[in-house]
Amino acid sequence: MGDMNATALQSLREALRGPVVTPQDPGYDDARGIYNAMIDRRPAVIAGCTDTADVRATLAFARDAGLDLAVRGGGHSGPGLCLVDGGLTLDLSPMRWVRVDPAARTAQVGGGSLLGDLDHATHTFGLAVPAGIQSTTGVGGLTLGGGHGHLTRRFGLTVDSLAAADVVLADGSFVTASEEEHPDLFWALRGGGGNFGVVTSFTFRLHPVSTVGAGVTLWPVDRTPEVLRWYREFLPAAPEDLSGFFALLAVPPAPPFPEPLHGRKVCGVVWCHTGEPDAERLEEALAVVNEPAPPAFHFATPLPYPALQTMFDDLLPRGLQWYWRGDFFDTISDAAIEVHHKYGQNLPTDRSTMHLYAVDGAARRPGADDTAWAYRDAVWSGVIAGIDPDPANAGLVRQWCVDYWSDLHPHSMGGSYVNFLGAQESADRVRATYRGHYDRLATVKRVYDPENFFRANQNIAPVPSHG
């Protein structure tokens, strides 16, 4: 890290419309706080960017001062890649705006926007982007990793709806990436993470989604083997308008769950049906939940799509201790089911969980090489998350997560959704995540970020230039 002199810092404050916060400023601790409270890093500067001009000035400052750079959108990065000790965090959170064109069915979205901002703006027109399961997630990080959620089986990954991205590159130049312009960069942005530049806005194609059928079915945790054996057959064969992610969890002490279930360990499925907004038809579609075992709880109702997207916000607020790891699966083997059963019975804390998100259906239609996302043949994207409010339990939830992942990983496809890679995972894990696409990504990286300026991420190092 280079020295940061007061004159240069003052010039940055004058150049930016957004706030510039240093450790000497009041509000510094709040400004460096992110979603995962297990991350405790102290950047030398946090530069809030309100527009592209601010982004360019911040990048120039970081280059001139020799500061390590991190980029923060929604601040949901599990490993805390949006903060670098002693470096500069380029904070896009002031860029929270969405502009919808209902006739063209497109939305342009500021780089600091959250999923809730996008859902709010599009829902009034009966439209949506397939993206995530929690409204507080940042659009930017989720999209650049590929993006999956409730609507994936019906409409594909988030990047499958991406039409263009405005990007500020490491040298400060500004480009728009799309199928027509900078197609290699556009290919890389669709799954390659934050390796290539600062995306100041995303343009998405929108899909007709308004009211969805939402449901939650829970079974006692000791029925996990029967439920998973049923689920692995049922869901991939189901129509694409039905999705349901499998979870291991402790029942939250809140509605709609009855008090006798509060705190009990269960397995369950969270359903989203884009074709059954009618309550009676929804119940008919979900009558199958009795097949593996009698549910301990079942609830299904038509909901506005944004209401489903906010369902878990209060359960998982900012400021909890998190440790997560993930993997892709093309099948849920009997051996994997035994692992899930073992660790589901031994959840270390009430908020720790495991989710299997369906990434089949429409997400499998693009060609294997059409985007940087390298697992078009996957059926599930799994994440194991050790979570607790108490820092004293950080070691406990981390160990449970690592042990669970270590036992489950041999039954996986070998790589993970890049946004589910944890802290301190190896370069081999990043390579496994991109499979045969890694070398092409490294070549694109050499063109757009030859000095690896954007390296506070699950990094793809540029291919060395020859000669």
Side-chain angles (χ1 to χ4, degrees), residues 383-400:
V383 65
I384 300 161
I387 313 168
D388 197 64
D390 188 351
N393 287 329
L396 174 73
V397 298
R398 182 189 186 282
Q399 196 58 53
W400 172 82

Side-chain angles (χ1 to χ4, degrees), residues 77-103:
S77 166
L81 300 174
C82 42
L83 299 172
V84 179
D85 276 323
L88 183 148
T89 284
L90 188 159
D91 181 14
L92 294 169
S93 62
M95 297 176 69
R96 284 179 65 178
W97 54 267
V98 181
R99 186 164 62 245
V100 177
D101 181 339

Side-chain angles (χ1 to χ4, degrees), residues 201-221:
S201 84
F202 299 84
T203 302
F204 294 105
R205 292 181 291 271
L206 304 177
H207 305 275
V209 180
S210 182
T211 299
V212 297
V216 179
T217 310
L218 304 177
W219 295 267
V221 75

Side-chain angles (χ1 to χ4, degrees), residues 344-382:
Q345 290 175 307
N346 294 292
L347 294 171
T349 61
D350 282 352
R351 295 192 219 207
S352 295
T353 188
M354 189 286 305
H355 292 173
L356 289 169
Y357 299 105
V359 290
D360 60 335
R364 300 189 84 174
R365 280 204 277 283
D369 299 326
D370 288 358
T371 61
W373 174 278
Y375 278 85
R376 292 290 178 179
D377 50 342
V379 183
W380 287 280
S381 170

Side-chain angles (χ1 to χ4, degrees), residues 53-118:
D54 280 2
V55 171
R56 296 185 74 194
T58 299
L59 291 178
F61 173 82
R63 279 197 312 272
D64 293 346
L67 290 169
D68 287 340
L69 176 85
V71 181
R72 181 169 72 193
H76 256 247
S77 166
L81 300 174
C82 42
L83 299 172
V84 179
D85 276 323
L88 183 148
T89 284
L90 188 159
D91 181 14
L92 294 169
S93 62
M95 297 176 69
R96 284 179 65 178
W97 54 267
V98 181
R99 186 164 62 245
V100 177
D101 181 339
R105 286 191 175 178
T106 60
Q108 193 175 9
V109 185
S113 301
L114 305 182
L115 296 191
D117 303 327
L118 177 56

Side-chain angles (χ1 to χ4, degrees), residues 216 218 247-266 270 297 311-316 347 349-353 355:
V216 179
L218 304 177
L248 294 165
L249 69 154
V251 178
F257 306 109
E259 208 168 300
L261 285 183
H262 290 180
R264 277 183 57 187
K265 293 182 176 71
V266 294
V270 178
F297 174 82
M311 191 182 278
F312 305 109
D313 290 1
D314 291 344
L315 176 64
L316 298 170
L347 294 171
T349 61
D350 282 352
R351 295 192 219 207
S352 295
T353 188
H355 292 173

Side-chain angles (χ1 to χ4, degrees), residues 142-398:
L142 177 121
T143 300
L144 293 172
H148 54 59
H150 294 298
L151 302 180
T152 299
R153 295 193 79 236
R154 177 75 185 276
F155 296 114
L157 303 172
T158 307
V159 289
D160 297 337
S161 294
L162 186 66
D166 290 337
V167 192
V168 183
L169 303 175
D171 64 2
S173 58
F174 175 85
V175 300
T176 297
S178 67
E179 295 283 9
E180 292 76 36
E181 302 176 79
H182 300 276
D184 278 358
L185 176 60
F186 187 56
W187 176 86
L189 292 173
R190 287 175 292 165
N195 271 286
F196 305 96
V198 180
V199 180
T200 55
S201 84
F202 299 84
T203 302
F204 294 105
R205 292 181 291 271
L206 304 177
H207 305 275
V209 180
S210 182
T211 299
V212 297
V216 179
T217 310
L218 304 177
W219 295 267
V221 75
D222 60 9
R223 306 311 289 267
T224 298
E226 297 99 307
V227 174
L228 267 176
R229 284 196 294 268
W230 166 78
Y231 172 80
R232 71 183 177 187
E233 304 298 328
F234 168 75
L235 193 68
E240 289 176 4
D241 54 11
L242 179 65
S243 189
F245 72 82
F246 179 86
L248 294 165
L249 69 154
V251 178
F257 306 109
E259 208 168 300
L261 285 183
H262 290 180
R264 277 183 57 187
K265 293 182 176 71
V266 294
C267 65
V269 179
V270 178
W271 304 102
C272 175
H273 204 313
T274 52
E276 302 287 356
D278 173 89
E280 200 171 312
R281 288 168 63 214
L282 176 62
E283 278 299 343
E284 283 173 24
L286 293 180
V288 292
V289 300
N290 293 294
E291 290 179 9
F297 174 82
H298 176 68
F299 167 81
T301 187
L303 277 183
Y305 176 64
L308 175 60
Q309 288 287 80
T310 57
M311 191 182 278
F312 305 109
D313 290 1
D314 291 344
L315 176 64
L316 298 170
R318 174 174 153 158
L320 302 176
Q321 306 282 312
W322 281 76
Y323 193 88
W324 67 30
R325 288 195 179 179
D327 267 320
F328 286 115
F329 301 88
D330 53 5
T331 186
I332 302 171
S333 68
D334 288 348
I337 288 174
E338 288 180 27
V339 177
H340 290 306
H341 190 205
K342 173 184 172 182
Y343 286 92
Q345 290 175 307
N346 294 292
L347 294 171
T349 61
D350 282 352
R351 295 192 219 207
S352 295
T353 188
M354 189 286 305
H355 292 173
L356 289 169
Y357 299 105
V359 290
D360 60 335
R364 300 189 84 174
R365 280 204 277 283
D369 299 326
D370 288 358
T371 61
W373 174 278
Y375 278 85
R376 292 290 178 179
D377 50 342
V379 183
W380 287 280
S381 170
V383 65
I384 300 161
I387 313 168
D388 197 64
D390 188 351
N393 287 329
L396 174 73
V397 298
R398 182 189 186 282

